Amino acid sequence: MSIYLFFEPSTRTRTSFELAAKRLEADVINFAAATSSLSKGETLADTAETIEAMSSDIIVMRHSQSGSPSLLSKAVKSKIINGGDGMHEHPTQGLLDFFTMRDKKGKIEGLNVVILGDILHSRVARSNIYGLLKLGANVTLCAPPTLIPKFSSLNVNIEYDLKKALKDADVINVLRIQKERMENSYFPSLREYTSHFGLTEEKIKYAKKDLLIMHPGPMNRDVEIAHSVANLPNSVITEQVTNGVAVRMAVLYVL
Ligand code: CP
């Protein structure tokens, strides 16, 4: 039995985990955190123990607090899958991104991958960076300086000029501007952000013809990515979602 404990909104991760579990003939319980006894003051660990008392094997969890799945894994016997924790990591999104890159490009090692956008607040960025470096890709981060955290110990390139970043790129993974996690002002206006860092057809002209265009979703169309670019033939944004089901089936199966 797998239980889905989502404390933050999700379309792709929750639905694809549910579909993956059903294809593996698991029982699936969707736990609505907002209407549970958590709202009466029950702790996360007590809630998880209560769920576990009903014989859960796997808990898939999304939470706004970085580290919460790790905390829960120490409190219960069920296997915990991180469905995204705060600004920390989104491991299965990373895996489905690598699957998609390898499917389309035939390899990961040696690929030039640009991660564009709100890297500071992005758990997808962190899971991509750690995994891509491990698999031998060259990783370039492109964003305004205010949206790039200090990854001083990691071997990543930093480029503030999107046209230059695009020149040798094989893959671009575009990230959403996460307004909900921004406590400060990181750029003067969305319009200015889009003019410098939005992926438009005009900027794509500086890239190779076979540039693979990716986005984990949800997209802010015409903010970080132009509507027309998201719909180009070399955009694989919908295929990423499709691949997410198979990748999550694999994760559930291995666990
Ligand atoms: N990519 C991703 O995690 O999407 P959802 O927030 O819709 O699950």
Side-chain angles (χ1 to χ4, degrees), residues 51-209:
I51 290 169
E52 201 168 46
M54 294 177 248
S55 303
S56 66
D57 301 299
I58 292 178
I59 298 176
V60 182
M61 178 187 184
R62 170 171 288 189
H63 201 285
S64 59
Q65 291 295 323
S66 298
S68 44
S70 169
L71 187 80
L72 195 65
S73 72
K74 293 179 179 77
V76 296
K77 289 192 210 69
S78 301
K79 293 176 173 64
I80 307 295
I81 299 177
N82 182 358
D85 62 328
M87 292 161 30
H88 178 222
E89 284 226 46
H90 193 349
T92 56
Q93 180 69 46
L95 291 174
L96 77 88
D97 289 344
F98 310 149
F99 180 97
T100 307
M101 287 178 207
R102 200 174 65 176
D103 185 43
K104 293 294 171 190
K105 295 288 183 184
K107 61 173 188 176
I108 304 269
E109 193 170 4
L111 281 184
N112 294 324
V113 181
V114 174
I115 302 176
L116 168 68
D118 186 356
I119 292 149
L120 181 67
H121 299 100
S122 173
R123 50 199 179 207
V124 176
R126 285 166 181 78
S127 290
N128 263 251
I129 292 166
Y130 299 141
L132 286 169
L133 290 177
K134 210 173 187 62
L135 294 167
N138 306 310
V139 178
T140 299
L141 309 180
C142 183
T146 48
L147 289 179
I148 301 187
K150 298 252 178 307
F151 289 118
S152 51
S153 61
L154 294 176
N155 188 19
V156 292
N157 311 304
I158 309 284
E159 177 56 70
Y160 302 121
D161 182 334
L162 177 53
K163 288 173 186 166
K164 284 190 190 160
L166 281 168
K167 192 171 156 286
D168 295 318
D170 300 301
V171 179
I172 188 158
N173 201 356
V174 187
L175 303 174
R176 183 171 67 87
I177 290 294
Q178 300 202 22
K179 280 178 276 182
E180 75 277 19
R181 293 192 212 280
M182 290 188 181
E183 286 163 4
N184 296 306
S185 186
Y186 292 88
F187 41 81
S189 67
L190 273 183
R191 195 166 151 179
E192 183 154 336
Y193 177 86
T194 302
S195 117
H196 289 278
F197 295 98
L199 191 64
T200 57
E201 291 208 52
E202 190 272 328
K203 294 201 194 85
I204 289 276
K205 287 184 189 144
Y206 291 81
K208 297 182 199 168
K209 288 269 175 295

Side-chain angles (χ1 to χ4, degrees), residues 10-13 62 90 93 216-217:
S10 169
T11 299
R12 293 150 201 80
T13 310
R62 170 171 288 189
H90 193 349
Q93 180 69 46

Side-chain angles (χ1 to χ4, degrees), residues 1-3 27 29 31 46-57 78:
M1 188 206 294
S2 55
I3 306 229
D27 292 327
I29 309 283
F31 179 87
D46 282 342
T47 300
E49 266 181 44
T50 304
I51 290 169
E52 201 168 46
M54 294 177 248
S55 303
S56 66
D57 301 299
S78 301

